[in-house]
Amino acid sequence: MPALLRLAPDVTLTRLPYGGSVLLNAVTLALAECGEPQAFVIDRLLATGLSIADRGSPPAYLAAELVAHGWLTVCPSPLCTSTVSPTAEQEG
């Protein structure tokens, strides 16, 4: 079973018109801009999680960094889903 990931509390994900995305923590006002390759990986991580086969891969390292810095959290239960606010997304 893959490790399910979701946005941390108070974090929103906004997709940018050129293909990247921005993570924003509404409490600390911390901002992280991601290029298109990282944004693609984040979308995949939120949609499918991180499998055992991903161990040691670039997506696993990115996931570990995002969790360590408080942008993503590991879901405690299989019923957990990632939440991306539709109002936070920009149309491109």
Side-chain angles (χ1 to χ4, degrees), residues 14-88:
T14 302
R15 289 172 182 84
L16 300 173
Y18 66 84
S21 61
V22 171
L23 293 163
L24 173 68
N25 184 312
V27 174
T28 65
L29 299 180
L31 180 80
E33 185 174 357
C34 305
E36 190 171 355
Q38 293 83 14
F40 176 80
V41 172
I42 291 170
D43 286 343
R44 190 192 76 132
L45 291 170
L46 292 173
T48 63
L50 193 63
S51 72
I52 297 293
D54 290 325
R55 181 175 288 161
S57 69
Y61 288 118
L62 179 60
E65 286 293 313
L66 292 170
V67 169
H69 289 94
W71 296 109
L72 297 180
T73 60
V74 179
C75 295
S77 111
L79 300 176
C80 178
T81 59
S82 65
T83 56
V84 178
S85 170
T87 59

